[in-house]
Amino acid sequence: MPRLVDVPGYPLFWTASGVSAFGSQISGLALQILTAVTLSASATEVGLVNAARWLPYLLFGLLAGVVVDRCRRKPMLVGTDLARAVVLAAIPLAYALDLLSIATLCLLVFTVGLLSLLFEAANQSYVPQLVPRELLNAGYARTEQASAVAGSTGPLIAGVLIKYLGAPLAVLLDALTYLASGLLLMSVKAHDPVPDRGARRGLGSELREGVSWVYRHRTLAPIALTSHAMLLFNTMVSTVFVVFALRELRVGDFGLGVTYACAGVGAVLGGALSGRVRGRFDVGATLIVFRVLAAVGWLPIVLAEPGSWAVPAVSSAFFLVSLAIAIESPVELSYRQAVTPEGLRGRMNATIRSFNWGMVAVGAPLGGVLADQISYRFALWVGLFGAVLQAVVLGFSRVREARGSEEVSADRR
């Protein structure tokens, strides 16, 4: 079996993914500081800016899948990366010209979100064209590892950059990382066929076909539906956790930093172990076991009490949940690509991602309302129970029969 490093184009693709992921972590923190501090925004305005980032997934997620399946993947990846660089560079420029307002920032962030939606739908569908089938899991795992490393180090470096350069210039640095990523992807040499124009039908028909493929498929349907539920309940826990940890557990800023660093370590380790786990167990068993582990992993947070053990408890929870998700996620991604025909991959990926991120938009305010109206622990228990429930439902579904050897032609029957 060839190694990933020997697959033509994959090292450049992986480097581009890591560079853009690192930049996204910088701008993620920088935009919050820019909104709340530099622009002196209210809490509502901060929420509007954050919502603008994910709104395109709800509005255009399904349409993005059709667009991706009608276009070559590489030009779309390069074009959206370069376009994101231009849009992000407009933020510090508008600030320097004293033209940056909350409304302008929302519009620019919304545009970045729309471009990211197209990029991510094309990105997941491009990997199967880049690496052979037997290396799909490893290919996704290495990409997840790059994102995990960026997630654990990016915010810390972003804090230093914002302190010495200011939030607007930190956003400009992210623009430069997208520029670098686009140029790297431009150099990737891989098979990227032009989709068959003769196979196109009406937009509505193609949208319905993509949704139908996901939610009528014997194994993709339970995977997708439980993924939506997992994102909903995990978002409830992670949203409530921040306030709970600071106000009740009193872990402080340093404790939060340690917790998120442990999450990054778990994600990196999980990505390294994913291929080995997949090599020893079937797809169904891997997904079910590590979905259960990711759900139960939140338990130390729910049971944590103020004191010296608070930080170790919440850190171990984030480590365990991130480890389990990092092992399970590449297996799920590679399986989804393997059982989906080439002409449907863009719509399949966009459909699942759209509803996943839609659940994030629902779970965050829902967790906050439960915490404010009842209690933090009640909201955390609801999130934990829901996460366990979706894993149990997955265990009783047809996914337990998945072996990883399914052929697309068999699923078409």
Side-chain angles (χ1 to χ4, degrees), residues 368-394:
V369 168
L370 290 176
D372 289 337
Q373 298 300 318
I374 304 178
S375 71
Y376 295 129
R377 288 190 190 275
F378 178 81
L380 292 171
W381 274 115
V382 171
L384 171 63
F385 177 77
V388 171
L389 182 60
Q390 65 82 23
V392 172
V393 170
L394 185 69

Side-chain angles (χ1 to χ4, degrees), residues 201-251:
R201 295 174 303 286
L203 179 62
S205 297
E206 294 194 22
L207 282 173
R208 287 192 296 272
E209 186 180 19
V211 174
S212 177
W213 173 259
V214 172
Y215 295 111
R216 292 185 178 180
H217 194 282
R218 62 188 179 86
T219 51
L220 284 184
I223 288 175
L225 291 170
T226 53
S227 291
H228 304 336
M230 180 177 69
L231 264 294
L232 172 69
F233 293 113
N234 279 2
T235 301
M236 290 176 61
V237 175
S238 59
T239 299
V240 175
F241 164 74
V242 177
V243 185
F244 174 69
L246 292 175
R247 294 182 181 177
E248 291 202 3
L249 299 183
R250 299 183 179 87
V251 301

Side-chain angles (χ1 to χ4, degrees), residues 396-410:
F396 282 98
S397 72
R398 296 288 296 275
V399 172
R400 66 181 184 277
E401 303 170 7
R403 300 286 186 263
S405 59
E406 289 86 344
E407 297 294 335
V408 168
S409 58

